[in-house]
Amino acid sequence: MKRLSSRHQLIRVTGLFVLSIVMAAQAGAEPEKPAVTFIVDPAEDTGPLPHFWTATGFTPPGLMNNERMRVQLAHLGGVALAGVEWVRAHDLLTLVTVEGMDTDPPVYDWSGLDAALDQMLELGMRPFFEVMGSPSGFAFTDMRSDEQAALWRRFVSDLARHLIDLYGQEEVRSWYFEVWNEPDVTPWFNHPWAEDDVEGLIRYYDATSAGLMDADPGLRFGGPGTARQLSVMFTGLMRHLDTGTNHLTGQSPPRCDFISIHVKGGPPSWKPADPSMDAILDGQRELYDYLAEHHPRLARLPLINNECDPLVGWSDRHDWRGTSYYPTFVARLVHRQLDEMVRGEPEFTLMSNDHAFLGGWGQRSVMVPFTAGDGDEGTNPAGVSMVKKPVLEGMTLLSLLGDRTVSVTAPGTEPGPDAPVRCLASLSPAGDLVLMLTHHDDNSAATGEATVRIEIAGGTAAWSRLAVWRIDPRHTAPKPVWDTAGQPDVPTAEQLQAMREAAELRAEVSDAPDGPITLNLPMHGTALLVLSEQPTDAPPAPRGLRARATTGVHGDEVLVQWNGTADPRRLLGYRVEALLPDGTTRALHETPVVSNSLVRPLPNDAVGIRVRAVDLWGRSGASASAPIARLSR
Ligand code: 8U8
């Protein structure tokens, strides 16, 4: 991994990249800033931009009954344009209870699982369904025994039939079903697990596959979601899937619709390692090359890295997880995955950040909980107030990218994939130009600021507005507010409100400039620029508005969710107000929100909630209103 001091960083920038050096206006007042020029040509289409990063995960699934998790998931589901669609939660099947698993017929209670799935779907998200966890802890002790494999097959087919009855065939066929999470490091059931028990894994895979296909051959199934690079579990299962025969069905080669892998940017640790983006990309490439060499048929299947986190160890604390470093890492990784994997040889279709755990600033979560009470994972009578972290807003920025990329050049130089500053240019379905700039170095201590100049070939006459959203040390930065307040365990109501306002993306809006666009981009920073055209009408009313009271640190709060109907690239954001008994309204927040969710203190006298969008031309759209229910715990 390359690790450069900020001084070396500057030398690398100037050496490789720079067209001109912008001198500080007052000599000696500021250090020299590197300047980077990008030329974007919207007329030169460079291919599709599938949104392949729209996934997250967490464990354990019982957390879905927890109030703070419900708030966090509502915000993930609330990322604009279904920016987080897939939720991969381990051990889902522990939510099922069963009597008589080995009698005929077993009696199931699916209600716990149904409630979890209902919640995901209601939020507009879908399960990336690991067929993992033992219902009622039934002792599957050896999948190599034909009787046990048959019992598991029957259970899985009953499960799949139940899901199809409940959610419909079309919906369930759109899901991903996967074997046990990380079978190379996690024992499955009470099976006498050993690191090299490839045969056990193969039997388990075959029984799961058979059960799913009994219910519906159209279901999508794959694996193995292994943790260790080229572990024998991975290579052994690949051999089976390429040339083996399903032990239960006789199907040869066995059914497999995708290959899932886990490649992260470094091991668990407190220190000294920063994440290594190269480690993720090199590790993925190594696994792909292995498949291409040994199992070319499997190399043509969709390849999914469904845990591509910067570092292993969700609960370890790293400062950068609460800052702009994390979203910038994710944004740059998306850019590199696009260049190096999505457009490369493998059919790389999905990557997931496993970042929907519940945790503090330094842990792998997308919100921070503040609680006045016991702080445990159960119900919390004292209440909890959640604040968005920059990485959540980073998912929103990514969701605003278009669906086609267009040409970007940096004249005089070919910026490498890990150049400090890069630009990804795209066109939205409505024809708006969406540019994503990242200023990144894996070294979390790197600092610096670049002057970025963007020239649009053909000019900007097609658009009327320029909006810029930024996540960097000074923008979309709630943690400094908490730091300045003395890092209180229990922030005051004012401190909470200030953190929440600071956490929001905030559009900087201007007329589309005639000439080049220039902006400063600090390390570590992501900026999204949208050149857009004014729609004929003001934004339509949002749909599906729901408002639910929750218990916050300082009394009731309200969690508001809606489905956006306007193109969020053309919005300042949404305004959310409480409806009061006398017919007046009270704003719940200051900064319009780009996402489709908000949590804020609930005024005592509120009788309902009203939400409307405001566009970049200052027009308020039609509003939607809803009464306030209570979020069940
Ligand atoms: C490499 C590795 C070794 C090991 O013994 O256990 C692991 C467990 C290893 C890698 C990942 C792992 O668990 C996954 O990673 C976790 C994490 O905290 O990074 C979680 O994100 C995942 O849910 C878990 O599947």
Side-chain angles (χ1 to χ4, degrees), residues 242-322:
D242 193 17
T243 56
T245 301
N246 183 308
H247 288 83
L248 286 88
T249 64
Q251 191 185 25
S252 180
R255 172 72 177 257
C256 180
D257 300 308
F258 62 89
I259 306 289
S260 56
I261 54 174
H262 295 174
V263 187
K264 308 202 187 200
S269 66
W270 283 72
K271 280 179 179 177
D274 276 332
S276 163
M277 206 176 299
D278 285 344
I280 297 175
L281 288 146
D282 294 348
Q284 291 175 174
R285 178 59 57 189
E286 184 185 33
L287 290 177
Y288 174 74
D289 287 347
Y290 176 85
L291 292 176
E293 183 182 345
H294 299 279
H295 308 291
R297 197 178 63 77
L298 301 180
R300 289 192 290 274
L301 292 176
L303 182 66
I304 294 173
N305 184 354
N306 50 14
E307 287 189 20
C308 69
D309 306 299
L311 288 184
V312 177
W314 75 268
S315 63
D316 292 349
R317 288 183 169 76
H318 300 282
D319 283 347
W320 54 261
R321 282 186 175 147

Side-chain angles (χ1 to χ4, degrees), residues 57-59 88-90 130 132 181-182 184-186 193 225-229 262 264 266-268 306-307 309 311-316 321 353-355 357 364:
F58 71 91
T59 200
R88 187 171 169 276
H90 305 327
E130 295 164 13
M132 172 180 190
N181 177 57
E182 300 194 339
D184 52 345
V185 295
T186 321
W193 182 87
T226 34
R228 295 199 177 126
Q229 194 70 358
H262 295 174
K264 308 202 187 200
N306 50 14
E307 287 189 20
D309 306 299
L311 288 184
V312 177
W314 75 268
S315 63
D316 292 349
R321 282 186 175 147
N353 291 284
D354 200 28
H355 58 10
F357 285 80
R364 209 195 296 127

Side-chain angles (χ1 to χ4, degrees), residues 51-286:
H51 286 209
F52 57 85
W53 54 83
T54 56
T56 190
F58 71 91
T59 200
L63 281 179
M64 293 192 75
N65 301 320
N66 173 295
E67 199 163 352
R68 67 188 85 170
M69 192 60 181
R70 295 181 72 126
V71 173
Q72 179 167 270
L73 283 175
H75 282 77
L76 283 160
V79 170
L81 299 172
V84 181
E85 180 177 8
W86 300 104
V87 180
R88 187 171 169 276
H90 305 327
D91 286 319
L92 271 180
L93 297 176
T94 59
L95 301 177
V96 177
T97 57
V98 59
E99 270 175 46
M101 180 71 106
D102 48 358
T103 60
D104 203 10
V107 180
Y108 302 107
D109 179 355
W110 303 108
S111 57
L113 175 66
D114 295 350
L117 296 173
D118 285 351
Q119 206 186 130
M120 280 185 206
L121 294 168
E122 190 197 300
L123 294 169
M125 301 192 286
R126 301 199 149 89
F128 198 113
F129 202 122
E130 295 164 13
V131 189
M132 172 180 190
S134 187
S136 295
F138 182 83
F140 286 100
T141 47
D142 192 352
M143 277 288 160
R144 283 165 297 198
S145 103
D146 290 345
E147 298 84 79
Q148 292 224 337
L151 285 181
W152 181 246
R153 173 184 186 169
R154 180 176 70 181
F155 168 72
V156 174
S157 83
D158 289 347
L159 164 74
R161 288 196 175 95
H162 168 74
L163 296 173
I164 290 167
D165 282 350
L166 210 56
Y167 300 111
Q169 188 182 57
E170 194 188 353
E171 173 64 31
V172 180
R173 282 185 172 185
S174 77
W175 300 358
Y176 294 85
F177 290 90
E178 193 185 25
V179 278
W180 208 263
N181 177 57
E182 300 194 339
D184 52 345
V185 295
T186 321
W188 54 90
F189 310 115
N190 312 87
H191 190 279
W193 182 87
E195 207 174 297
D196 59 355
D197 182 13
V198 178
E199 196 52 27
L201 176 64
I202 287 172
R203 298 294 175 127
Y204 166 64
Y205 181 98
D206 286 351
T208 308
S209 175
L212 290 171
M213 300 316 143
D214 289 346
D216 178 4
L219 297 179
R220 179 156 59 169
F221 179 61
T226 34
R228 295 199 177 126
Q229 194 70 358
L230 289 172
S231 58
V232 293
M233 291 280 193
F234 178 82
T235 55
L237 188 68
M238 291 305 113
R239 201 175 320 112
H240 174 64
L241 294 178
D242 193 17
T243 56
T245 301
N246 183 308
H247 288 83
L248 286 88
T249 64
Q251 191 185 25
S252 180
R255 172 72 177 257
C256 180
D257 300 308
F258 62 89
I259 306 289
S260 56
I261 54 174
H262 295 174
V263 187
K264 308 202 187 200
S269 66
W270 283 72
K271 280 179 179 177
D274 276 332
S276 163
M277 206 176 299
D278 285 344
I280 297 175
L281 288 146
D282 294 348
Q284 291 175 174
R285 178 59 57 189
E286 184 185 33

Side-chain angles (χ1 to χ4, degrees), residues 413-483:
T413 160
E414 267 316 308
D418 58 355
V421 181
R422 291 191 65 190
C423 175
L424 178 66
S426 65
L427 280 176
S428 77
D432 295 341
L433 183 64
V434 185
L435 310 177
M436 185 175 79
L437 296 167
T438 46
H439 192 175
H440 179 75
D441 187 303
D442 283 350
N443 178 0
S444 63
T447 55
E449 184 154 323
T451 300
V452 184
R453 196 180 126 94
I454 299 158
E455 292 172 20
I456 315 284
T460 59
W463 304 286
S464 67
R465 277 284 190 271
L466 170 65
V468 183
W469 290 272
R470 303 162 183 267
I471 305 178
D472 63 38
R474 297 192 296 271
H475 300 86
T476 321
K479 173 101 182 337
V481 176
W482 186 66
D483 291 338

